[in-house]
Amino acid sequence: MKSLSIARRRPRHTLAAQCLLAVLTGCQMIETDAGSFMPSSNPVTVDTVTRGNRLARQARQQHPRILETYGGEYSDSKLERMVAKVVGNLTFDEQNTAPAYRITILNSPNVNAFALPGGYLYVTRGLLALANDSAELAAVLAHEMAHVTANHGIERQRMEAEEQFATKVVNEVLGQDQDAQTALVRGKLRLAQFSRNQELEADRIGIRTTAGSGYDPFAAARFLQAMDSYQGFRSVSGATDASLDFLASHPNAPRRIELAQRHAREFESTGAGTRDRDSFLAGIDGMVYGDPPEEGFVRGRDFLHPRLGVAFRVPEGFVIDNSAKAVTAVGPGDIAVRFDGATVPESTSLTQYLTSGWVAGLEPETIRNITVNGRPAASGRASADGWQFDVTVIRSGGQVYRLLTAAPATSTELERVASSVGQSFRILNDAEKAALKPLRIRVVTVKPGETLGSLAAQMRGVDRKVELFRLLNALGPGGTPSVGSKAKIITDS
């Protein structure tokens, strides 16, 4: 969500998940005017303006949509005081001309932070979970503040307007003239380079602000490295929607980390700066990790929703991605599963519901009544744009749960996967619902005899425990926790 991004090829598995939307004709998307800020695209970076300015008014109007996209506001007074302290230290820097900030901690496991005009500053609890000290948090927030104070949004709007006008001239006036097309490509490349330069400039300004506020100037390079490691872990675990992550909109590369280290060395003569690790860890101790309870829990291959009282399991090799809108899972062979629910009157039969128009490409001859673990259900097949779909709906009271499985038209695995997921669907009993607790970050002190392996083994509700422990505690391949140091673990207690 914010700043400028370089276009990257969309992963194949993303297409598999998105093709599920092709069969749904009733899905709703957030709509905004073309000139407004989109909370799930690029974080907006604009000049510091007064609250009466048009851009600031748009930012205020965008605030509710940002909350909707990122799971709302996360309320924790201890955590809020810690973040406010870091922001306060940054704004004490005499070179920072930004207004007072309204700080919002977003209830999202995605790793992101951004600023909007009028002093709106956002940070996700996912980013707080990944950071390891106050200096790293300060480095990220200073970077976002720098986008605002450096007028990047205004400059980018002007550059984009010029590039769009050039495209129109080439396409409508000059047609297929080869020289004109070449010039257009070069212009687009210059715009991309400009956005890279903005990121590097924000890094430089942010590091200067971080150091000027008394924090360790090398924190920016450390956290860039942490996010690079997180990206590798995230691409396998698929625990969250990657499009909402910092790295989806902020290009990262070894060169950028190297430049951040070089900028930090300019401040070595002023002292190392503080990391303030203990204060930071005290602030995040007990913070929810991963999915919020209202969106259900992912536990390995299982999805469990204590409030709805339902659960299902995906096959081996599938990765579940949970969001407020729907649950999706992507597996081998570009097969994807989508789960959501709808309120349907009990007077409407399930076969009637299947044919009510919300499924595109439905093949009526395939519709049949079935049962799933004793629950009335119905299923059918659909096809669209080179994909085949299994659509299963299961009734529980006035609620109908929908399982959509998609596979390439050439796949022979659709029936097996759809049957496996559908037959795993069940209603949780009261004891099972009561036993489900959200995962939280707990800060522990390493005791004599404890090792990386034994500490990682204390974690609950997560896979690849050793790898995740290293990632959360910024431990490299050869790093080990030392006795007396503090470490983050994930548990449901």
Side-chain angles (χ1 to χ4, degrees):
M1 171 181 203
K2 291 8 181 193
S3 237
L4 306 179
S5 61
I6 305 302
R8 291 182 288 184
R9 180 174 296 174
R10 189 180 299 275
R12 174 67 175 166
H13 73 268
T14 302
L15 296 177
Q18 289 186 342
C19 81
L20 289 165
L21 296 177
V23 78
L24 296 175
T25 62
C27 291
Q28 295 181 345
M29 303 296 289
I30 297 175
E31 297 180 357
T32 60
D33 295 334
S36 65
F37 300 123
M38 294 293 294
S40 59
S41 57
N42 289 333
V44 182
T45 54
V46 297
D47 189 15
T48 302
V49 293
T50 65
R51 291 183 180 271
N53 184 279
R54 177 180 61 86
L55 293 174
R57 288 198 303 272
Q58 287 184 339
R60 289 199 299 276
Q61 294 169 356
Q62 193 64 17
H63 179 72
R65 292 177 178 174
I66 290 174
L67 293 180
E68 180 181 2
T69 301
Y70 281 84
E73 187 170 354
Y74 184 74
S75 181
D76 180 330
S77 58
K78 175 171 63 72
L79 184 64
E80 291 164 3
R81 286 194 298 271
M82 183 274 290
V83 175
K85 175 185 173 184
V86 173
V87 175
N89 288 338
L90 289 173
T91 56
F92 287 151
D93 179 23
E94 62 183 13
Q95 298 189 61
N96 190 330
T97 59
Y101 282 92
R102 172 182 176 178
I103 309 161
T104 301
I105 299 174
L106 296 170
N107 189 23
S108 169
N110 292 90
V111 176
N112 213 340
F114 45 92
L116 294 180
Y120 288 81
L121 187 62
Y122 302 87
V123 60
T124 63
R125 57 177 172 78
L127 187 144
L128 296 172
L130 184 62
N132 266 283
D133 54 47
S134 296
E136 291 182 1
L137 173 59
V140 175
L141 298 180
H143 172 97
E144 295 306 323
M145 293 175 180
H147 277 309
V148 176
T149 58
N151 304 328
H152 286 165
I154 298 299
E155 293 181 19
R156 185 172 191 258
Q157 288 176 359
R158 176 180 59 80
M159 293 285 286
E160 287 180 331
E162 292 175 357
E163 190 274 332
Q164 290 170 2
F165 178 73
T167 300
K168 184 176 181 179
V169 169
V170 170
N171 291 337
E172 297 183 5
V173 181
L174 301 179
Q176 299 301 313
D177 181 84
Q178 189 62 43
D179 291 338
Q181 292 289 343
T182 300
L184 176 61
V185 171
R186 288 175 177 170
K188 290 182 176 180
L189 289 175
R190 281 195 297 272
L191 181 61
Q193 182 64 46
F194 174 77
S195 62
R196 283 194 294 268
N197 288 340
Q198 282 189 328
E199 290 300 328
L200 295 178
E201 183 182 18
D203 284 345
R204 178 180 57 80
I205 297 172
I207 290 169
R208 183 187 66 196
T209 300
T210 302
S213 302
Y215 289 112
D216 177 13
F218 288 92
R222 286 201 312 274
F223 198 68
L224 284 171
Q225 184 63 62
M227 285 191 294
D228 188 62
S229 300
Y230 164 80
Q231 186 179 36
F233 184 88
R234 166 64 181 79
S235 66
V236 176
S237 69
T240 56
D241 181 356
S243 69
L244 302 182
D245 283 337
F246 187 90
L247 291 179
S249 55
H250 295 66
N252 197 23
R255 175 63 172 165
R256 187 177 174 193
I257 297 174
E258 178 186 339
L259 288 174
Q261 292 172 332
R262 182 185 303 175
H263 292 318
R265 293 190 190 101
E266 298 175 9
F267 300 96
E268 283 184 312
S269 60
T270 62
T274 181
R275 294 190 179 186
D276 194 20
R277 177 173 165 80
D278 287 347
S279 174
F280 177 83
L281 292 179
I284 67 170
D285 188 22
M287 182 181 70
V288 169
Y289 177 85
D291 301 317
E294 57 270 20
E295 292 182 9
F297 302 121
V298 176
R299 298 291 187 266
R301 294 190 291 124
D302 291 302
F303 175 77
L304 309 101
H305 202 303
R307 296 190 181 182
L308 296 178
V310 298
F312 66 88
R313 171 173 290 186
V314 297
E316 191 76 38
F318 278 69
V319 174
I320 300 175
D321 185 357
N322 184 24
S323 73
K325 298 295 184 183
V327 181
T328 58
V330 178
D334 293 325
I335 301 179
V337 177
R338 175 187 169 98
F339 169 80
D340 62 11
T343 300
V344 179
E346 294 193 52
S347 58
T348 301
S349 72
L350 292 178
T351 53
Q352 287 176 324
Y353 175 62
L354 272 178
T355 58
S356 61
W358 62 275
V359 180
L362 184 66
E363 300 168 359
E365 68 277 9
T366 66
I367 298 174
R368 59 195 179 97
N369 286 302
I370 60 174
T371 59
V372 173
N373 287 325
R375 297 281 168 179
S379 68
R381 292 292 181 91
S383 59
D385 300 327
W387 295 87
Q388 54 179 326
F389 304 89
D390 180 282
V391 186
T392 298
V393 292
I394 308 164
R395 169 163 272 146
S396 179
Q399 191 76 8
V400 169
Y401 296 101
R402 313 190 299 190
L403 283 166
L404 286 79
T405 306
T410 56
S411 175
T412 60
E413 291 292 295
L414 177 65
E415 184 175 353
R416 181 188 67 83
V417 173
S419 176
S420 172
V421 176
Q423 291 303 318
S424 74
F425 179 89
R426 63 191 180 89
I427 303 299
L428 298 173
N429 60 41
D430 291 340
E432 289 175 314
K433 289 187 289 186
L436 285 171
K437 306 293 183 184
L439 299 179
R440 296 183 183 274
I441 288 180
R442 297 297 182 190
V443 178
V444 298
T445 301
V446 181
K447 302 173 183 176
E450 288 186 319
T451 65
L452 185 150
S454 66
L455 289 165
Q458 297 178 29
M459 301 211 292
R460 299 287 182 269
V462 294
D463 295 326
R464 301 159 62 195
K465 295 180 180 181
V466 171
E467 187 177 354
L468 180 58
F469 182 86
R470 285 189 180 279
L471 179 65
L472 291 176
N473 293 284
L475 292 172
T480 58
S482 57
V483 175
S485 65
K486 290 183 170 59
K488 293 180 283 184
I489 64 171
I490 305 301
T491 180
D492 58 2
S493 60

